Amino acid sequence: MRRLAARGAAGDAGEVAPPAADSTDCAPGRSPSPCRLIDLCAIWDAGVFLPAAVAAAWKGAPSGVPRRRLNEAETLSSVQKAQLQRLEAARPRGPGSGDRGPVPRMARQQPPPWVHAAILFSLLSLSTAIEIPMDPSIQNELSQPPTITKQSVKDHIVDPRDNILIECEAKGNPAPSFHWTRNSRFFNIAKDPRVSMRRRSGTLVIDFRSGGRPEEYEGEYQCFARNKFGTALSNRIRLQVSKSPLWPKENLDPVVVQEGAPLTLQCNPPPGLPSPVIFWMSSSMEPITQDKRVSQGHNGDLYFSNVMLQDMQTDYSCNARFHFTHTIQQKNPFNLKVLTNHPYNDSSLRNHPDMYSARGVAERTPSFMYPQGTASSQMVLRGMDLLLECIASGVPTPDIAWYKKGGDLPSDKAKLENFNKALRITNVSEEDSGEYFCLASNKMGSIRHTISVRVKAAPYWLDEPKNLILAPGEDGRLVCRANGNPKPTVQWMVNGEPLQSAPPNPNREVAGDTIIFRDTQISSRAVYQCNTSNEHGYLLANAFVSVLDVPPRMLSPRNQLIRVILYNRTRLDCPFFGSPIPTLRWFKNGQGSNLDGGNYHVYENGSLEIKMIRKEDQGIYTCVATNILGKAENQVRLEVKDPTRIYRMPEDQVAQRGTTVQLECRVKHDPSLKLTVSWLKDDEPLYIGNRMKKEEDSLTIFGVAERDQGSYTCVASTELDQDLAKAYLTVLADQATPTNRLAALPKGRPDRPRDLELTDLAERSVRLTWIPGDDNNSPITDYVVQFEEDQFQPGVWHDHSKFPGSVNSAVLQLSPYVNYQFRVIAINEVGSSHPSLPSERYRTSGAPPESNPSDVKGEGTRKNNMEITWTPMNATSAFGPNLRYIVKWRRRETRETWNNVTVWGSRYVVGQTPVYVPYEIRVQAENDFGKGPEPDTVIGYSGEDYPRAAPTDVKIRVLNSTAISLQWNRVYSDTVQGQLREYRAYYWRESSLLKNLWVSQKRQQAGFPGDRLRGVVSRLFPYSNYKLEMVVVNGRGDGPRSETKEFTTPEGVPSAPRRFRVRQPNLETINLEWDHPEHPNGILIGYTLKYVAFNGTKVGKQIVENFSPNQTKFTVQRADPVSRYRFSLSARTQVGSGEAVTEESPAPPNEAYTNNQADIATQGWFIGLMCAIALLVLILLIVCFIKRSRGGKYPVREKKDVPLGPEDPKEEDGSFDYSDEDNKPLQGSQTSLDGTIKQQESDDSLVDYGEGGEGQFNEDGSFIGQYTVKKDKEETEGNESSEATSPVNAIYSLA
């Protein structure tokens, strides 16, 4: 949707700017919607009109007196008559005005306060404007008055060598016809064979191919576009033919001047159109070097503050460059003859600390060469640039300084030029007026010149009239407000004729700069022109009034199918149009209530947003648009699809050259969508050759080669979504050594590359060559080339490019004016090497920037400024020294000149801006080699201020006990003073309708984002008194509060009873107790108790008990001692039962004990434990039986000569004595860990070991033989003895 409007611009009578494409008067950030435009303005001003009815009442006319014309004031004071005469004398002669007499104006009188109120009320009661959609079918069907869409500039200068083209294009329905005036007279195109008009356009073409002089067609032209609904006017286009006259021939004598004297070489260029550009050169086309001693003035003359002998080494020629002819004309050169006391031009004296004394030049105090005298004055128009200039002579050369009396120079707008001889103040405003003075000083003295600056202003728009489209019977207004110095006057015209001479219209009232329309009808259609002027110029703007009567219609195709992925956000569009503006509602599956709130959000343009799609959101959605003329509907079918996901991704692999590699990519997707799986290599589409095979869920590469190394990306996509997965394939070259030996070699990071060399040095490229380091048994896969520059970030290394591990030489692309130094890093599968030693430096030559800074923004930090910020450019995009930024800005759609300033940082603050207006912003990079490309235009906004108005006509409708519906009137857009964030309701609970119930009066809020007219406030307390206020919220904060509204919520259901307690004093009764609900939400009429008995899975019949509101106790008689009870208790009001609270009776003690016994006896862990205990007892019994039946052997002590006594202690490894005397072993016997009994030394141990074998004794009488053999065998065989292999000994050993 866009608003149809013809935008006006500053200029002469009839000037109208081309309309901005897709312009809209809706606040930025809003959803597209049929915006309604009404704003309040200060309508009482100099010469303001009153509505006729109000004026008649103010005069005291009785009721029934017919309305008199606004200028028919009965009596005028002498002062009022003088004011009227001045207005008539200075009235603007706008387009088509001719000499129709004075513009009638009403005499200024101070109205009483009630008249102000009446006017304000009448404006507040106006209805709103309608926007026409861009749909061609709508545009072609609706009738519209003409609108100027394109026209030539006000001062139209043409090249005499080309045909003349004067543009004028307009649109309307029916298509408008065109005619022209020349010098305020009808221009008959048919009578001039050289003049023609383009088809379906008003553009004039004047053809000189068959002869003729372009100068004959100079003059003022104006275009009229007309259809049956009105006439639109172009601006007055002053046609001038470019002129570049020749320089008059003259013989110039040599200029004789004394060394040290001042000198002015006058240029006096021929008057061209437009004025030529002046510069000085020698006759050999060498530029004249300028400095603070020798410089060119703004008038083109060349000034010498003092002449030196070296000035006669060249001649001086003034050159004029003419824009249209692209020619340069050169004046005859001046030759200087310098008289001097020191005839030799010794160059060594130029650096002498006192050069003038060394050359015999007398020093003197400064004096002004331009301007003359000690004071002058200058007038400048608002918004233009102010240029003040002071050029002084003196020896030594004076220095120039600038000051402003009573204040400082505006630092954000002031700029010194021409070696401080000129002061330029850009975008002059009223506060820049005052007295400025320049101070010229040298060591001999100083002198100053005062310049008085007066700032005037041609008219500029405050509120430019905009096209007004209304429905029959609606009200509206056109506002034309402008300012200037002196204050401009306003004249209204309709269809190009003064409003006073137009036929009377009872539905139209003029109030100064405002026209009010009431109860508009089809016959009210016309094009109005507002002409505002003062002595410095005037503005003209067209605005049409169109009345439409259109039933609702849908603008989108019918029965659309929308498919969306699960859990995504989506928006169903339903564009509509009608006049009056229809209301829109959404329904799902042809039933239910209007969809809005929760997961749904409806925009005023008809779009339904579903914040998170779920499966149950699938279905048919119907939008219905309704106005008084009928209704229209459309349907959208929504299908919800499952997302596409790669659940088995390809993995990074390292493969030997010649092997086969398979990369998996398994996908899950919605079966109703067509799945496409494709592969990328190094982020480029992969060509599937003979060595590759692509299957549904994998990619196979046969005979892997080195060129196959890189990253592989699997892309699984449907027509709705896609998923990506990436893996890297590393290919290893063949090795001479066997694979098993390679695997045994340790791998490490590669050694650093070395011997970096730069060759093939070019302006934008260089070849870098290096020698690779050892790969340390892991092939090098990549090389990373880094660079460092020493201007912006010295010592910081940046990645430049990446190359495969098979190369050691590469061509690097470079940026201008960077002092490069390179280094290389090698990478293998283990990691990265240390960086190589840096290469030698290489500086590229400079060039103008090829790009501009990014992320340009304009935002207000205070209500009267706008901060312009951007991301500064880095070293490789600077392209030259002294990188700086040219910041330009101007108000959007005003066609005013661009303001500009040069900034070295990354921000600039524009001061003294109006509150929240759009600006066009451009930031262009520049260095010493030139400017960057033309920058893109970015829209920024000045700072916001608090809103000035509150929502009016707030209406409250109670929906239920906890929710209300709000409806209000919009505030006017100019009162928001920023971006409308939301309408916000503040509400609080004043009291409860229940007596003696304390309530919290804490304020709560509910926000309604965007430009809405209604909303719902929920989560209110029933049966309560509430108060509510509404405000408008922008980025700065809240505006003033609306009138306080009161409302009462009806009764609701109560909350759950508090502290519900169930006690069982015995097995026969159960006692119940509770407290009243925390929030009764009305008058309690009782409690409802529901309870049921249960025993395990058996459930009894439910019993219902009703109690009075005062009863809070109840006793239940148990039917049996075993069953338990489940209770549910709720409170009641007249509306119904509230939330229930549920409790169960405790279990009887015996039941709990029985259940615990049964539970433990049937647990698996308990059964296992019992079995383990029984097994352990059995094993112990077996061990004890074996020990008692077997006895033991007698261990022999190693110290045979020491007999044991009864006092000897037991051995540490577990020897013990038997309690049975018959089987008790010998004293000192010891049982080993493996169950055998080792004999210790004893005299009677010979009996056991001597049986059945031969015994031997050594020299000391010790027994040897079987004992010795048996001991050795036990030491060598351990558990392999015959005893250890018997079953009994095995069990004994286990124990």
Side-chain angles (χ1 to χ4, degrees):
M1 309 283 285
R2 71 178 180 89
R3 180 162 185 77
L4 300 180
R7 305 293 184 184
D12 289 340
E15 179 182 353
V16 177
D22 297 329
S23 59
T24 178
D25 295 298
C26 302
R30 301 179 186 171
S31 62
S33 63
C35 305
R36 295 177 170 266
L37 304 173
I38 299 181
D39 56 353
L40 291 175
C41 61
I43 64 169
W44 289 104
D45 211 337
V48 72
F49 291 107
L50 288 177
V54 178
W58 182 21
K59 285 290 185 179
S63 61
V65 174
R67 296 183 180 180
R68 61 182 69 191
R69 292 182 63 84
L70 296 177
N71 61 324
E72 294 176 355
E74 299 256 344
T75 58
L76 297 176
S77 66
S78 59
V79 175
Q80 293 166 344
K81 290 179 180 178
Q83 291 176 341
L84 185 59
Q85 290 173 357
R86 284 200 303 273
L87 291 173
E88 292 173 351
R91 72 179 181 89
R93 303 296 182 183
S97 61
D99 294 320
R100 303 182 184 272
V103 179
R105 298 292 297 253
M106 194 193 78
R108 290 185 63 186
Q109 298 186 22
Q110 184 63 35
W114 68 268
V115 177
H116 291 273
I119 294 291
L120 183 62
F121 177 79
S122 68
L123 292 180
L124 283 172
S125 65
L126 298 181
S127 183
T128 58
I130 300 172
E131 292 184 354
I132 305 297
M134 291 295 297
D135 191 321
S137 62
I138 301 290
Q139 296 275 349
N140 296 332
E141 290 180 11
L142 299 181
S143 301
Q144 287 190 26
T147 300
I148 300 291
T149 59
K150 189 176 183 181
Q151 57 185 320
S152 295
V153 295
K154 178 185 65 176
D155 289 315
H156 191 31
I157 302 175
V158 297
D159 193 330
R161 300 169 297 180
D162 299 332
N163 292 335
I164 295 177
L165 198 71
I166 310 177
E167 292 184 314
C168 177
E169 296 182 7
K171 66 178 180 179
N173 193 8
S177 60
F178 299 88
H179 73 269
W180 286 81
T181 62
R182 179 185 175 194
N183 298 330
S184 300
R185 293 186 177 184
F186 175 72
F187 184 38
N188 193 340
I189 300 173
K191 289 186 177 181
D192 194 331
R194 295 192 185 93
V195 183
S196 61
M197 189 183 299
R198 285 183 175 174
R199 186 181 179 188
R200 296 181 181 177
S201 169
T203 299
L204 289 182
V205 180
I206 307 176
D207 193 346
F208 297 101
R209 287 178 295 183
S210 59
R213 298 180 62 250
E215 290 79 6
E216 296 176 356
Y217 290 89
E218 291 185 326
E220 284 191 333
Y221 292 79
Q222 189 169 28
C223 175
F224 293 75
R226 174 177 298 162
N227 66 12
K228 65 179 181 179
F229 301 119
T231 302
L233 280 64
S234 75
N235 57 356
R236 282 186 176 262
I237 303 169
R238 185 171 64 173
L239 179 66
Q240 296 175 284
V241 179
S242 173
K243 298 175 179 62
S244 54
L246 298 176
W247 223 300
K249 295 293 184 179
E250 56 181 341
N251 295 321
L252 300 176
D253 297 329
V255 179
V256 180
V257 62
Q258 184 70 36
E259 186 175 18
L263 175 64
T264 301
L265 299 181
Q266 295 183 345
C267 181
N268 296 326
L273 184 68
S275 300
V277 177
I278 305 300
F279 57 95
W280 286 81
M281 303 184 75
S282 67
S283 58
S284 59
M285 302 305 290
E286 293 291 334
I288 301 299
T289 302
Q290 299 187 27
D291 52 23
K292 75 173 184 177
R293 183 179 68 86
V294 181
S295 63
Q296 177 184 319
H298 184 63
N299 59 1
D301 294 345
L302 188 65
Y303 293 90
F304 294 78
S305 294
N306 51 75
V307 176
M308 300 301 294
L309 185 61
Q310 65 263 24
D311 294 335
M312 61 185 294
Q313 293 179 355
T314 184
D315 54 9
Y316 301 86
S317 176
C318 183
N319 295 264
R321 180 169 61 86
F322 293 91
H323 171 69
F324 276 88
T325 59
H326 301 287
T327 58
I328 296 176
Q329 296 189 27
Q330 189 175 49
K331 187 176 182 178
N332 289 339
F334 291 95
N335 290 293
L336 297 186
K337 183 178 181 181
V338 181
L339 305 178
T340 178
N341 298 326
H342 198 291
Y344 300 103
N345 188 14
D346 191 348
S347 60
S348 63
L349 296 178
R350 296 184 183 180
N351 299 324
H352 196 278
D354 197 353
M355 177 182 63
Y356 295 98
S357 298
R359 294 197 55 82
V361 178
E363 297 177 339
R364 53 187 175 83
T365 58
S367 63
F368 284 108
M369 305 174 70
Y370 180 87
Q372 301 290 333
T374 59
S376 60
S377 63
Q378 195 166 334
M379 190 273 287
V380 64
L381 291 180
R382 179 183 183 271
M384 306 296 288
D385 284 2
L386 171 65
L387 183 65
L388 306 178
E389 194 172 30
C390 282
I391 302 176
S393 64
V395 179
T397 303
D399 294 315
I400 306 295
W402 290 90
Y403 304 92
K404 182 180 181 182
K405 290 185 178 179
D408 298 329
L409 295 176
S411 58
D412 56 338
K413 300 191 297 180
K415 181 180 179 181
L416 296 176
E417 299 177 350
N418 198 17
F419 310 100
N420 292 358
K421 298 177 185 180
L423 171 65
R424 182 182 296 275
I425 300 178
T426 59
N427 191 23
V428 171
S429 56
E430 285 76 2
E431 57 264 26
D432 294 322
S433 60
E435 289 190 350
Y436 296 79
F437 66 89
C438 57
L439 184 68
S441 61
N442 62 11
K443 65 180 182 179
M444 301 301 295
S446 62
I447 187 174
R448 76 177 186 175
H449 182 93
T450 302
I451 305 174
S452 179
V453 175
R454 294 176 294 114
V455 178
K456 300 293 184 179
Y460 56 92
W461 290 120
L462 297 178
D463 280 311
E464 184 180 359
K466 300 174 178 63
N467 292 338
L468 189 62
I469 304 175
L470 302 171
E474 288 188 335
D475 302 340
R477 65 190 178 112
L478 294 177
V479 180
C480 177
R481 296 178 59 215
N483 201 0
N485 186 9
K487 186 172 182 60
T489 58
V490 175
Q491 179 191 9
W492 284 100
M493 293 180 289
V494 57
N495 296 328
E497 300 293 332
L499 194 62
Q500 292 73 18
S501 60
N505 186 346
N507 304 106
R508 179 180 65 209
E509 295 181 14
V510 181
D513 54 16
T514 304
I515 300 181
I516 303 171
F517 300 92
R518 302 185 188 281
D519 192 21
T520 55
Q521 301 301 322
I522 300 295
S523 59
S524 301
R525 290 182 287 196
V527 182
Y528 289 82
Q529 289 83 31
C530 174
N531 187 14
T532 174
S533 61
N534 64 11
E535 62 190 57
H536 301 295
Y538 52 85
L539 301 172
L540 180 84
N542 292 278
F544 67 70
V545 176
S546 182
V547 182
L548 300 179
D549 194 358
V550 183
R553 61 183 298 175
M554 294 297 171
L555 305 179
S556 60
R558 302 186 65 83
N559 301 322
Q560 294 184 81
L561 171 63
I562 304 296
R563 297 185 296 176
V564 66
I565 296 298
L566 185 67
Y567 304 126
N568 280 4
R569 177 191 296 260
T570 191
R571 197 163 77 175
L572 308 181
D573 293 325
C574 183
F576 64 95
F577 174 70
S579 178
I581 299 175
T583 57
L584 186 92
R585 294 179 298 168
W586 280 90
F587 302 93
K588 182 183 177 184
N589 294 331
Q591 59 186 358
S593 59
N594 182 29
L595 298 178
D596 196 3
N599 198 33
Y600 300 101
H601 177 71
V602 178
Y603 293 96
E604 291 197 9
N605 71 329
S607 296
L608 173 67
E609 182 185 57
I610 307 178
K611 299 176 183 177
M612 187 175 71
I613 292 292
R614 300 162 298 183
K615 283 290 187 182
E616 55 266 28
D617 292 322
Q618 184 166 285
I620 297 176
Y621 292 79
T622 304
C623 59
V624 181
T626 309
N627 69 7
I628 60 175
L629 301 177
K631 72 176 183 178
E633 66 178 43
N634 200 357
Q635 289 185 343
V636 179
R637 182 158 60 95
L638 181 67
E639 291 184 357
V640 181
K641 306 295 182 181
D642 291 327
T644 303
R645 293 290 179 265
I646 299 176
Y647 66 90
R648 180 167 294 179
M649 307 180 191
E651 298 180 350
D652 294 343
Q653 295 191 34
V654 178
Q656 198 76 26
R657 185 171 61 181
T659 59
T660 299
V661 172
Q662 186 179 57
L663 300 173
E664 280 191 306
C665 181
R666 298 192 179 183
V667 184
K668 180 180 180 182
H669 72 290
D670 193 289
S672 64
L673 301 177
K674 181 180 179 181
L675 175 67
T676 302
V677 178
S678 59
W679 289 85
L680 307 177
K681 181 178 184 296
D682 297 330
D683 299 328
E684 296 292 336
L686 174 65
Y687 171 72
I688 306 297
N690 295 331
R691 295 184 303 104
M692 296 185 183
K693 180 180 180 182
K694 190 186 82 167
E695 297 177 323
E696 184 177 350
D697 56 0
S698 66
L699 174 69
T700 305
I701 306 175
F702 302 97
V704 172
E706 291 181 353
R707 64 177 179 272
D708 296 326
Q709 180 169 289
S711 63
Y712 289 80
T713 304
C714 175
V715 182
S717 59
T718 64
E719 54 265 45
L720 297 183
D721 66 338
Q722 71 173 19
D723 196 12
L724 304 157
K726 180 180 288 189
Y728 195 87
L729 173 62
T730 302
V731 179
L732 303 179
D734 293 335
Q735 301 292 334
T737 56
T739 305
N740 56 353
R741 291 188 60 189
L742 273 179
L745 293 176
K747 297 181 180 180
R749 298 185 180 187
D751 292 343
R752 70 173 70 186
R754 55 189 176 86
D755 297 341
L756 272 63
E757 182 182 5
L758 298 178
T759 57
D760 299 344
L761 304 177
E763 185 175 355
R764 293 288 185 94
S765 65
V766 68
R767 176 175 289 279
L768 176 65
T769 306
W770 63 91
I771 297 177
D774 192 342
D775 62 6
N776 291 325
N777 306 316
S778 178
I780 295 175
T781 59
D782 295 288
Y783 287 104
V784 176
V785 178
Q786 296 182 327
F787 75 93
E788 179 259 354
E789 52 83 26
D790 58 359
Q791 182 177 0
F792 288 89
Q793 292 179 299
V796 178
W797 289 88
H798 308 272
D799 287 348
H800 183 281
S801 50
K802 190 175 184 179
F803 300 99
S806 57
V807 304
N808 68 328
S809 180
V811 176
L812 308 179
Q813 300 299 321
L814 308 181
S815 297
Y817 202 74
V818 178
N819 195 17
Y820 282 100
Q821 189 177 33
F822 301 99
R823 70 182 187 184
V824 182
I825 299 174
I827 301 175
N828 63 9
E829 66 175 349
V830 179
S832 302
S833 71
H834 291 293
S836 68
L837 297 178
S839 69
E840 60 181 340
R841 287 196 176 271
Y842 174 60
R843 177 183 289 279
T844 54
S845 58
E850 295 181 359
S851 62
N852 289 308
S854 60
D855 197 23
V856 179
K857 297 178 182 177
E859 299 175 344
T861 58
R862 289 186 293 181
K863 68 178 182 180
N864 59 349
N865 76 355
M866 179 180 64
E867 183 180 65
I868 303 173
T869 59
W870 57 91
T871 300
M873 300 166 64
N874 56 28
T876 57
S877 56
F879 287 15
N882 292 327
L883 177 65
R884 50 198 179 271
Y885 305 98
I886 301 174
V887 183
K888 298 181 180 181
W889 71 94
R890 69 177 180 186
R891 285 186 61 173
R892 188 181 185 185
E893 299 175 354
T894 60
R895 296 182 63 86
E896 63 184 13
T897 58
W898 287 92
N899 307 286
N900 66 85
V901 67
T902 301
V903 179
W904 273 261
S906 60
R907 63 185 292 270
Y908 180 75
V909 179
V910 180
Q912 303 302 317
T913 61
V915 174
Y916 199 69
V917 296
Y919 280 84
E920 294 178 336
I921 301 171
R922 295 177 180 175
V923 180
Q924 185 179 25
E926 182 185 28
N927 60 25
D928 287 354
F929 289 93
K931 297 180 180 179
E934 194 65 25
D936 295 333
T937 301
V938 177
I939 303 302
Y941 285 84
S942 56
E944 301 179 70
D945 200 358
Y946 294 106
R948 292 189 285 109
T952 57
D953 196 18
V954 179
K955 297 178 181 178
I956 300 176
R957 182 167 62 91
V958 178
L959 300 178
N960 51 46
S961 61
T962 62
I964 61 171
S965 172
L966 294 177
Q967 189 173 354
W968 59 88
N969 288 341
R970 286 188 181 90
V971 297
Y972 300 123
S973 58
D974 63 341
T975 65
V976 178
Q977 301 197 115
Q979 180 181 356
L980 177 61
R981 297 290 179 86
E982 65 178 12
Y983 288 91
R984 183 177 296 168
Y986 289 98
Y987 59 95
W988 62 95
R989 191 181 182 191
E990 188 71 18
S991 62
S992 173
L993 294 178
L994 297 172
K995 295 183 179 180
N996 301 324
L997 180 64
W998 180 89
V999 297
S1000 172
Q1001 295 184 346
K1002 180 182 179 181
R1003 287 180 176 249
Q1004 296 175 289
Q1005 67 183 44
F1008 310 103
D1011 188 15
R1012 302 176 60 177
L1013 293 177
R1014 60 188 63 86
V1016 174
V1017 178
S1018 57
R1019 298 184 180 180
L1020 301 175
F1021 286 100
Y1023 213 53
S1024 301
N1025 295 317
Y1026 275 88
K1027 289 186 177 181
L1028 180 142
E1029 298 171 342
M1030 291 202 67
V1031 298
V1032 179
V1033 182
N1034 62 14
R1036 187 77 184 275
D1038 293 2
R1041 299 182 184 273
S1042 68
E1043 177 187 359
T1044 303
K1045 295 289 184 177
E1046 298 183 358
F1047 64 92
T1048 300
T1049 53
E1051 276 191 283
V1053 296
S1055 61
R1058 293 181 295 170
R1059 292 189 286 275
F1060 184 34
R1061 304 173 295 281
V1062 178
R1063 296 187 177 91
Q1064 185 171 294
N1066 50 54
L1067 297 179
E1068 287 79 21
T1069 60
I1070 300 175
N1071 295 333
L1072 307 179
E1073 294 183 8
W1074 63 88
D1075 292 343
H1076 295 299
E1078 181 181 3
H1079 301 292
N1081 296 333
I1083 299 175
L1084 290 180
I1085 61 173
Y1087 295 93
T1088 298
L1089 175 67
K1090 300 177 182 179
Y1091 61 95
V1092 62
F1094 66 93
N1095 185 2
T1097 58
K1098 297 181 180 180
V1099 181
K1101 183 179 179 181
Q1102 179 175 279
I1103 302 174
V1104 180
E1105 300 282 352
N1106 292 316
F1107 309 120
S1108 66
N1110 296 326
Q1111 182 174 345
T1112 58
K1113 296 181 180 179
F1114 182 68
T1115 300
V1116 176
Q1117 299 294 328
R1118 295 176 62 99
D1120 60 79
V1122 177
S1123 298
R1124 298 178 61 190
Y1125 288 82
R1126 184 178 295 113
F1127 301 95
S1128 175
L1129 178 68
S1130 61
R1132 302 193 313 275
T1133 62
Q1134 292 289 351
V1135 179
S1137 297
E1139 180 185 358
V1141 58
T1142 302
E1143 292 288 346
E1144 292 183 355
S1145 63
N1150 59 342
E1151 179 184 353
Y1153 176 75
T1154 304
N1155 288 343
N1156 289 339
Q1157 279 188 325
D1159 290 344
I1160 294 175
T1162 59
Q1163 294 296 319
W1165 64 269
F1166 180 76
I1167 297 174
L1169 178 62
M1170 294 295 103
C1171 293
I1173 293 173
L1175 180 61
L1176 183 61
V1177 170
L1178 177 62
I1179 292 173
L1180 292 176
L1181 290 174
I1182 293 173
V1183 171
C1184 292
F1185 173 77
I1186 292 172
K1187 285 190 175 184
R1188 291 181 62 86
S1189 63
R1190 180 177 176 278
K1193 292 188 176 183
Y1194 302 100
V1196 180
R1197 294 179 63 90
E1198 292 180 1
K1199 297 180 180 180
K1200 294 169 285 196
D1201 55 339
V1202 182
L1204 288 175
E1207 69 277 6
D1208 284 346
K1210 296 178 182 179
E1211 293 295 329
E1212 293 180 359
D1213 55 357
S1215 63
F1216 58 89
D1217 295 331
Y1218 286 102
S1219 58
D1220 191 346
E1221 291 293 328
D1222 295 335
N1223 298 319
K1224 185 174 182 179
L1226 297 177
Q1227 189 177 15
S1229 65
Q1230 185 179 20
T1231 304
S1232 68
L1233 291 176
D1234 60 357
T1236 60
I1237 300 176
K1238 296 181 179 180
Q1239 297 288 340
Q1240 296 199 8
E1241 184 176 282
S1242 176
D1243 294 338
D1244 53 4
S1245 63
L1246 299 174
V1247 177
D1248 294 334
Y1249 282 95
E1251 292 179 357
E1254 295 180 356
Q1256 297 180 6
F1257 293 88
N1258 55 16
E1259 294 178 355
D1260 58 359
S1262 299
F1263 173 74
I1264 59 174
Q1266 287 187 356
Y1267 172 77
T1268 305
V1269 174
K1270 185 177 180 65
K1271 181 176 181 181
D1272 294 340
K1273 186 177 181 179
E1274 288 179 351
E1275 290 177 352
T1276 57
E1277 296 181 4
N1279 292 334
E1280 296 178 3
S1281 64
S1282 61
E1283 293 182 356
T1285 57
S1286 66
V1288 176
N1289 284 341
I1291 296 175
Y1292 187 86
S1293 176
L1294 179 64

